[in-house]
Amino acid sequence: SVIDMLQPRLASDYGGGVLNVLGSDMVHTGLQCLFGILTTTAKPVSSALVQCASPGMPAGLTYLELASHGSSTVSTASPADTRMPFFVHVAPEVTAISPISGDPDGGTLVTVLGAHYVNSIELGCAFGTVSPVAAAWLEHSEMQCVSPARVLGSPEVRVTNNGIQFEGAEE
């Protein structure tokens, strides 16, 4: 078995996200996801995809390994490295947005202030229940998104560093 890719390559420090491990010949019974000393159960989806729930972990660089019955059974494409690296980030926060309303046809440039924004291609905003939109990273505490059409009222603005886990303003 070979691990080719991990999506997303970022996980929140509070856990709860799903990591897609892509590769070949990935169907094993009793497969587990190892995050250092932390372990979660792997969910085989197909011979090319296994899903791992990310546990809560400290922020920083960490590694994912797949193992069966306590021994490593899957390696990355590079034989010298049997672990797939990824980055655990502090969950993003929203403290303010400006402006607080915009054109119902969309197109309003919204500045989102907060903390722990990561400059990544997965950085984004969600406006209420409307699908997420890409964001422009300005600094660790500021990003900008263009509002989509058909957002009625003043919907909650939520942000993501990895395109999957979203955080909104603290109530």
Side-chain angles (χ1 to χ4, degrees), residues 32-40 54-58 62-65:
Q32 296 195 330
C33 306
L34 305 177
F35 301 87
I37 61 170
L38 302 174
T39 303
T40 63
S54 64
M57 300 174 273
T62 192
Y63 295 87
L64 169 68
E65 290 182 82

Side-chain angles (χ1 to χ4, degrees):
S1 297
V2 174
I3 298 173
D4 294 321
M5 185 170 31
L6 183 62
Q7 291 179 321
R9 296 297 299 256
L10 297 169
S12 175
D13 63 340
Y14 65 81
V18 174
L19 301 174
N20 292 307
V21 183
L22 302 151
S24 58
D25 192 28
M26 304 281 281
V27 179
H28 297 277
T29 54
L31 202 58
Q32 296 195 330
C33 306
L34 305 177
F35 301 87
I37 61 170
L38 302 174
T39 303
T40 63
T41 302
K43 178 184 173 189
V45 176
S46 71
S47 64
L49 173 63
V50 170
Q51 293 181 324
C52 297
S54 64
M57 300 174 273
L61 180 66
T62 192
Y63 295 87
L64 169 68
E65 290 182 82
L66 294 179
S68 180
H69 306 293
S71 64
S72 183
T73 59
V74 180
S75 64
T76 61
S78 169
D81 188 1
T82 62
R83 305 177 300 168
M84 181 61 69
F86 72 100
F87 186 75
V88 178
H89 63 86
V90 176
E93 299 173 12
V94 175
T95 57
I97 62 168
S98 178
I100 58 171
S101 64
D103 190 321
D105 292 330
T108 301
L109 183 63
V110 178
T111 299
V112 184
L113 301 176
H116 313 297
Y117 302 151
V118 175
N119 188 6
S120 74
I121 61 171
E122 292 89 5
L123 186 68
C125 299
F127 294 81
T129 58
V130 176
S131 295
V133 297
W137 183 88
L138 301 176
E139 58 182 289
H140 294 287
S141 61
E142 186 176 2
M143 69 168 79
Q144 291 182 324
C145 303
V146 177
S147 68
R150 296 182 202 62
V151 178
L152 302 177
S154 296
E156 178 187 22
V157 175
R158 296 170 296 126
V159 298
T160 181
N161 282 327
N162 65 12
I164 295 174
Q165 295 172 288
F166 287 83
E167 294 295 321
E170 294 293 320
E171 299 297 326

